[in-house]
Amino acid sequence: EVLPQTARIQVVEGRFAGARAQLERQPDAWQLRSEIGGGTITGPLRLQPVRGAGWRLNGELATSNVEVSALTAPSRTLTGKLDARTPLQAEFTDPAALADVLRSQTRFTVRNALLQGIDLAAAVRTLGVSREGNTQLDTLTGQVATQGRVIQLTNLVASSGMLSANGNVTLAGVRTLSGKGTGSVGQVVGVPLAVGGTID
């Protein structure tokens, strides 16, 4: 048996500086508890050998009250408090390839979100003529599916007062964004939205 009973990690430099994580081995899984962005990510991780060669990783993570920009640093395009549930799985032989084979599904809510760089209400009201500024949101909800390094955000719903918007976005390659949606403000409803650019 070469797998550890416990592991502790503290990030001292880089984009996740200050984050901490602890793994403790239980009879049927390792229990993860990590602290990042003022909140926690917790849950079981199971690593099992696959017949022949390689490993299978399964997990069920709960994210609670994490500042979302702590996960996207150095970008602070979106800020707010994140709550999420994430089942994940991967099969691999080389741990270095884990990022390329990991699959996950996340349902999330960001509370008191601030989207910087665009005023969605102004964009909807002016049919895209005016876009600059920021958007304060009561909530941003949706689902995130990852397949290796490709990320798809679906069923996105942004709401704040008279403003509502929804859509789907794909993130691929060098942090490139593409997607479509619709937005409404008061009497102006169903305005089509196109999302493009990079995550920065």
Side-chain angles (χ1 to χ4, degrees), residues 1-6 23-27 29-31:
E1 184 67 61
V2 296
L3 298 175
Q5 287 295 118
T6 63
L23 278 169
E24 289 195 2
R25 195 163 187 190
Q26 304 294 327
W30 280 279
Q31 290 296 322

Side-chain angles (χ1 to χ4, degrees), residues 65-132:
N65 206 40
V66 170
E67 169 52 53
V68 69
S69 63
L71 303 177
T72 60
S75 172
R76 289 185 55 84
T77 304
L78 177 67
T79 60
K81 295 298 185 177
L82 172 68
D83 295 309
R85 295 279 176 180
T86 306
L88 57 87
Q89 57 186 336
E91 290 191 11
F92 60 94
T93 53
D94 180 0
L98 189 57
D100 295 314
V101 297
L102 186 67
R103 290 174 291 154
S104 69
Q105 293 278 344
T106 299
R107 288 182 173 272
F108 72 89
T109 299
V110 181
R111 293 173 284 106
N112 299 318
L114 178 64
L115 180 61
Q116 301 187 55
I118 184 169
D119 183 337
L120 272 176
V124 171
R125 277 194 298 263
T126 65
L127 304 182
V129 173
S130 175
R131 299 187 298 269
E132 294 182 2

